[in-house]
């Protein structure tokens, strides 16, 4: 594959409305029939330099369900990185063995850098506090599936909006669909000014709050909870001060709109009480399941397998 012609998936910020809707149509086809052999003979490398459960397992499951083989680094301490090997050299070596690389890294911009140094497609599985585009795609798919549309929705984002890369990705992707956002966070974890300025430039309506209560929830179509990310804090005393500021409880949902769904990129810590799990508004477990279909779509996108190819596919395993 020519490095100039390959397609990476490192951010959703530059994607058009048409590209996003196209990927969601692909995901819908994979929800209908997830088991196929579209990637038979391909090798997927998953490189995770930060801990992960759902993202890594769903990417690896998606590869397996499409017939690919998977090679992986799940602990950098057990790789040559521990011997001092640079990220560039690790990427160049792995690119010798794989047709596509899925990478999570703690440095912002690492995925974009990876896309510049290797000649196989790079899929960003999260880079620091920057972007998480595959999570964003499954979030968009979940919103579309539960609301029947992406248009004109009221979305309340709660918790760690400073470091929350899932939040940052969702804001940029929703610019095409006329959302109204409510940003709910303690002052120390409020949305960075660059994203608020982005909203202003894109004509996205938003308001800010430091309180999560029934009134805050009442107008939302989507209530998107996030955990306070301990790993992003250099001052653990500050983490202890803010970690339990917002806890969603079942009793807070009495006045929620009937269509409202609660989403969370997971893992949760204390921010959603377990008594919410049985509430019909809860959707975060189904949301995680949607990650399989979204990530199958992403593999096809970067490897040049089109929607027409998927619709014509005869390798479905029922």
């Amino acid at each position: 594959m020519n490095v100039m012609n390959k397609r990476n998936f490192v951010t959703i910020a530059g994607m058009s409305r048409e590209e996003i809707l196209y990927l969601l149509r692909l995901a819908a086809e994979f929800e209908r029939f997830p088991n196929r052999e579209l990637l038979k003979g391909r090798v997927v490398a998953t490189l995770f330099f930060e801990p992960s459960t759902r993202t890594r397992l769903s990417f690896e499951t998606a590869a397996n369900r499409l017939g690919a083989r998977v090679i992986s680094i799940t602990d950098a301490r057990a790789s040559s990185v521990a011997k001092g090997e640079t990220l560039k050299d690790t990427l160049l070596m792995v690119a010798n063995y794989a047709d596509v690389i899925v990478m999570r890294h703690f440095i912002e911009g690492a995925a974009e850098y990876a896309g510049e140094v290797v000649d196989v497609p790079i899929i960003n599985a999260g880079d620091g506090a920057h972007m998480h585009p595959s999570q964003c795609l499954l979030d968009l798919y979940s919103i579309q599936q539960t609301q029947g549309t992406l248009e004109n929705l009221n979305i309340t984002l709660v918790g760690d909006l400073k470091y929350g890369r899932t939040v940052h990705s969702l804001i940029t992707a929703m610019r095409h669909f006329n959302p109204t956002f409510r940003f709910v966070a303690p002052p120390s974890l409020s949305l960075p000014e660059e994203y608020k300025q982005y909203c202003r430039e894109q004509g996205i309506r938003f308001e800010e709050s430091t309180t999560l209560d029934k009134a805050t929830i009442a107008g939302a179509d989507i209530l998107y909870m996030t955990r306070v990310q301990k790993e992003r804090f250099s001052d653990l005393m500050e983490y202890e001060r803010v970690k339990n500021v917002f806890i969603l409880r079942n009793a807070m949902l009495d006045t929620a709109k009937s269509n409202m769904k609660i989403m969370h990129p997971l893992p949760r810590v204390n921010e959603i009480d377990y008594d919410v799990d049985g509430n019909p508004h809860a959707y975060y477990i189904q949301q995680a399941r949607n990650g399989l279909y979204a990530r199958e779509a992403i593999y096809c996108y970067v490897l040049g397998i089109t929607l027409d190819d998927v619709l014509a596919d005869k390798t479905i395993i029922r």
Side-chain angles (χ1 to χ4, degrees), residues 189-200:
L189 293 176
S190 65
L191 190 72
E193 181 59 34
E194 65 188 277
Y195 289 102
K196 288 185 270 190
Q197 184 58 31
Y198 179 87
C199 288
R200 297 183 190 105

Side-chain angles (χ1 to χ4, degrees), residues 160 163 186 188-189 227-247 269-270:
D160 183 354
Y163 300 112
S188 61
L189 293 176
R227 73 183 172 94
V228 177
Q229 300 176 77
K230 184 176 182 180
E231 65 270 26
R232 308 291 178 207
F233 282 77
S234 56
D235 183 350
L236 289 183
M237 290 184 66
E238 175 62 14
Y239 167 75
E240 291 294 329
R241 191 178 71 80
V242 299
K243 68 177 183 179
N244 292 324
V245 170
F246 301 129
I247 300 176
V269 183
N270 298 316

